[in-house]
Amino acid sequence: MKLLQIFSIGICVFHLTMLPTSLAQNPIPSSEIVPTFKGEPSPYSKITQHQIKIGRDKVSYDAIAGETYLKDTAGNTTGSIFSFSYIRTDKVTANRPVLFVFNGGPGSASLWMHMGALGPKQLKLDKDVNPTNVPPFEIIDNKNSPLDYADLVFIDPIGTGFSRPLNGTDPKIFWGVDEDADSIAQFIELWLTQNKRWNSPKYVLGESYGSTRAAILPRALLGSPFPPGVMRGITLDGIILLGTTLDKHSATAPPKAQNEILKAHALRLPGIAVTAAFHGLTQPEEEIESFYNQTLEFSKTTYFEALLKADNGTLSINEKELILQKLKELTGLTEEQIGDDLVVTEGEFSNTALQNKGLQVGLYDSRYTLPLVNSGHDPVADDAAMTQYVPGFVAGFHMLLSEHLGVEIARPYTAIRWKDLLPYWNFERGFTPVPAKNSAQELAWSLRRNKDLRVFVASGYYDLVTTPAAAYDQIQSGGVPLDRVTFKEYPSGHMLYLGGTSEAFSKDLKNFILQK
């Protein structure tokens, strides 16, 4: 085979023929490698000093709110990522861990993790469940913040928060699975350089779609001749996944097989069962952890097998009756509400479980409820949890900006951006020698490449959107070595640190990072 060219750098040899034809045969025009932006203003930066008591420790820290400019290969500024860094200034150690944090969407800023669980200031809701969504709101010192043992960096991807494209750059170059991961990797690389932290242990934490980002980020950080197309040489010590979703990977991925669809139906049942118990529809004798696990075992075996038989027409009348009775026992639903197909979806359960009380159950946190009537059927505004805790988070974050961080920026802070971003989000992936079937498999590849990389998967029992059962199944099905994964579940929802569980999650996170 004739090689077009061979690049040799150190011990790395790469054949250009491995590249897609379009890249190998179409070099970048010389006009595109000359910087074109002159005299741009310096990145915004605001540094303030603070103290907080965490446990018995009085922690002094700098809070740095500011921009980091991203550049293309020619040195042209393309965008600005705004971040919030908290760096301890007393008891400084050479190898202090750094935790990089982002939320999901795609299109979400990082204020949820910032104000809900990890930042030194925390939103205090007036009730654990069904809080008020009108002022006044309150923010307090977060006694469970990891800042006593790790520095924190909250990242808002381009198009969210104060982050934005610059110099007329088309924002779509940041809005895609690979594009997004590359921009976050570039930010982390710049942050490590600017803060002289290349020798610090490095962790990333992603929630919801952020778990997808976290799973594929190791490749963008390490580097590859395929996307991202640069060698950064950055390895991670740990990845923390919350509200895990690792099965969505590519716009052209083949549709799920029927048995996978039925398996997904079966794995919804444990979350529905604990929700039914929470609302008093059933009276299990076990504690929530034991009850969830017992229901999960039934779901993965007897229930899943029954759904397979029902699908191919081999389920007997007696078997069907036994399954139906068990479903009624677990969900508190009637035979008519369950239906002839024996499938109870989270949407059906949300609308029917408490209909005799005139209530609808939330999906992001099924402890929450709203009136069943007059719903606009908006997946966010009419979700019982989202509509009740979002206003407090947004207001609390703006209080943090003005009252504690001294940030004065005229443009709005975008908590979640759907407009423009979602319609253009590119789920199509760049070329790789072997396409990954999902981001769980990419995570498995990264664990192979880095023998010291560990994973922490945290889930909420009352999360009916990204369930603990689905998270485990995706990790296992992706080939991730389970002996390097820590799984933890909490009696909370999608934002698993709300409702009295923040302290337990913080302890587990500390044990994971400090390897206790």
Side-chain angles (χ1 to χ4, degrees):
M1 179 182 292
K2 182 179 179 181
L3 300 180
L4 296 177
Q5 188 174 357
I6 298 178
F7 292 108
S8 179
I9 304 176
I11 62 172
C12 177
V13 179
F14 169 66
H15 291 181
L16 190 60
T17 49
M18 297 172 66
L19 283 173
T21 303
S22 60
L23 293 181
Q25 296 180 351
N26 297 301
I28 300 173
S30 58
S31 61
E32 295 185 19
I33 60 174
V34 179
T36 57
F37 305 120
K38 307 294 183 182
E40 62 192 12
S42 299
Y44 179 94
S45 180
K46 180 72 175 183
I47 304 176
T48 52
Q49 289 75 41
H50 307 266
Q51 277 192 338
I52 184 175
K53 188 173 183 181
I54 301 176
R56 297 180 179 178
D57 228 359
K58 183 177 285 186
V59 177
S60 298
Y61 65 94
D62 283 348
I64 306 171
E67 295 179 290
T68 298
Y69 285 170
L70 304 184
K71 298 180 182 294
D72 60 20
T73 54
N76 302 313
T77 300
T78 58
S80 159
I81 285 186
F82 206 97
S83 64
F84 300 86
S85 300
Y86 297 97
I87 301 175
R88 186 168 184 174
T89 54
D90 64 318
K91 297 185 179 180
V92 177
T93 59
N95 298 322
R96 181 170 160 82
V98 181
L99 177 59
F100 296 95
V101 183
F102 36 76
N103 276 86
S108 176
S110 62
L111 78 159
W112 319 105
M113 293 300 307
H114 195 158
M115 298 300 298
L118 302 180
K121 292 292 183 180
Q122 184 178 37
L123 172 68
K124 181 182 178 182
L125 297 170
D126 64 340
K127 288 189 293 184
D128 286 345
V129 176
N130 295 329
T132 183
N133 60 1
V134 295
F137 299 110
E138 183 181 3
I139 57 175
I140 59 175
D141 284 349
N142 181 10
K143 64 180 181 179
N144 298 315
S145 173
L147 190 53
D148 59 331
Y149 63 88
D151 292 331
L152 307 172
V153 186
F154 296 92
I155 306 170
D156 292 339
I158 297 289
T160 76
F162 292 130
S163 302
R164 55 182 177 160
L166 295 176
N167 297 315
T169 301
D170 188 341
K172 290 196 287 292
I173 73 166
F174 305 108
W175 292 349
V177 179
D178 286 328
E179 296 88 341
D180 169 79
D182 185 46
S183 68
I184 299 300
Q186 185 182 159
F187 167 84
I188 291 175
E189 180 181 33
L190 291 168
W191 192 95
L192 294 173
T193 300
Q194 292 164 1
N195 292 277
K196 299 180 175 61
R197 299 298 293 273
W198 278 84
N199 212 35
S200 293
K202 304 166 191 69
Y203 295 81
V204 297
L205 185 155
E207 183 176 44
S208 199
Y209 177 80
S211 65
T212 297
R213 179 187 291 126
I216 67 174
L217 193 56
R219 179 157 67 98
L221 287 169
L222 184 60
S224 170
F226 311 106
V230 294
M231 178 62 75
R232 294 190 171 100
I234 300 170
T235 50
L236 296 172
D237 294 77
I239 295 174
I240 300 100
L241 309 178
L242 282 69
T244 303
T245 173
L246 302 178
D247 57 348
K248 178 71 173 176
H249 189 75
S250 171
T252 56
K256 288 186 177 181
Q258 181 65 7
N259 66 320
E260 292 178 320
I261 295 173
L262 294 175
K263 185 179 183 182
H265 284 319
L267 293 179
R268 291 189 182 102
L269 184 61
I272 290 172
V274 295
T275 301
F278 177 86
H279 291 290
L281 298 175
T282 61
Q283 302 294 329
E285 295 179 358
E286 304 86 354
E287 295 294 328
I288 183 172
E289 180 179 1
S290 178
F291 180 54
Y292 189 96
N293 289 332
Q294 287 181 25
T295 307
L296 177 59
E297 185 61 27
F298 166 76
S299 299
K300 293 190 300 182
T301 55
T302 307
Y303 183 39
F304 178 45
E305 292 165 6
L307 291 179
L308 290 173
K309 287 184 177 181
D311 185 63
N312 62 31
T314 61
L315 186 68
S316 70
I317 295 176
N318 287 340
E319 288 174 317
K320 183 175 181 178
E321 182 60 30
L322 288 173
I323 294 296
L324 188 58
Q325 290 302 316
K326 185 67 173 179
L327 291 178
K328 291 164 63 177
E329 174 189 326
L330 290 171
T331 67
L333 299 178
T334 66
E335 183 173 338
E336 291 73 21
Q337 289 172 326
I338 294 170
D340 191 59
D341 61 0
L342 302 179
V343 170
V344 181
T345 69
E346 63 272 25
E348 292 169 341
F349 181 80
S350 170
N351 289 319
T352 60
L354 300 178
Q355 64 182 4
N356 63 329
K357 297 181 180 180
L359 296 175
Q360 182 185 53
V361 171
L363 296 181
Y364 286 92
D365 191 325
S366 59
R367 298 172 298 173
Y368 284 61
T369 58
L370 278 179
L372 191 58
V373 299
N374 295 327
S375 172
H377 302 287
D378 187 292
V380 174
D382 286 304
D383 177 78
M386 291 285 279
T387 199
Q388 292 184 79
Y389 57 56
V390 164
F393 269 86
V394 175
F397 185 74
H398 280 85
M399 292 161 62
L400 173 73
L401 290 178
S402 60
E403 298 173 13
H404 298 278
L405 302 184
V407 173
E408 297 179 351
I409 295 177
R411 64 184 185 275
Y413 183 89
T414 304
I416 299 180
R417 181 189 184 99
W418 294 290
K419 183 179 180 181
D420 300 330
L421 187 151
L422 275 184
Y424 294 112
W425 192 265
N426 179 23
F427 280 100
E428 188 54 64
R429 304 302 304 281
F431 175 84
T432 55
V434 179
K437 63 181 181 180
N438 52 36
S439 39
Q441 187 175 49
E442 285 205 48
L443 180 60
W445 292 350
S446 293
L447 286 163
R448 174 186 182 272
R449 295 162 184 160
N450 177 358
K451 64 181 177 61
D452 295 313
L453 178 59
R454 298 171 297 119
V455 180
F456 177 33
V457 180
S459 306
Y461 288 121
Y462 300 113
D463 179 2
L464 299 185
V465 178
T466 56
T467 67
Y472 186 92
D473 182 68
Q474 290 166 22
I475 291 285
Q476 184 182 46
S477 300
V480 177
L482 297 181
D483 61 341
R484 292 166 65 182
V485 183
T486 299
F487 292 93
K488 292 289 183 179
E489 292 79 39
Y490 306 88
S492 188
H494 191 64
M495 296 169 72
L496 56 86
Y497 36 84
L498 296 184
T501 54
S502 180
E503 183 174 0
F505 167 67
S506 297
K507 286 181 178 178
D508 291 335
L509 179 64
K510 183 174 185 177
N511 289 339
F512 175 77
I513 290 180
L514 299 183
Q515 301 190 53
K516 291 185 177 180

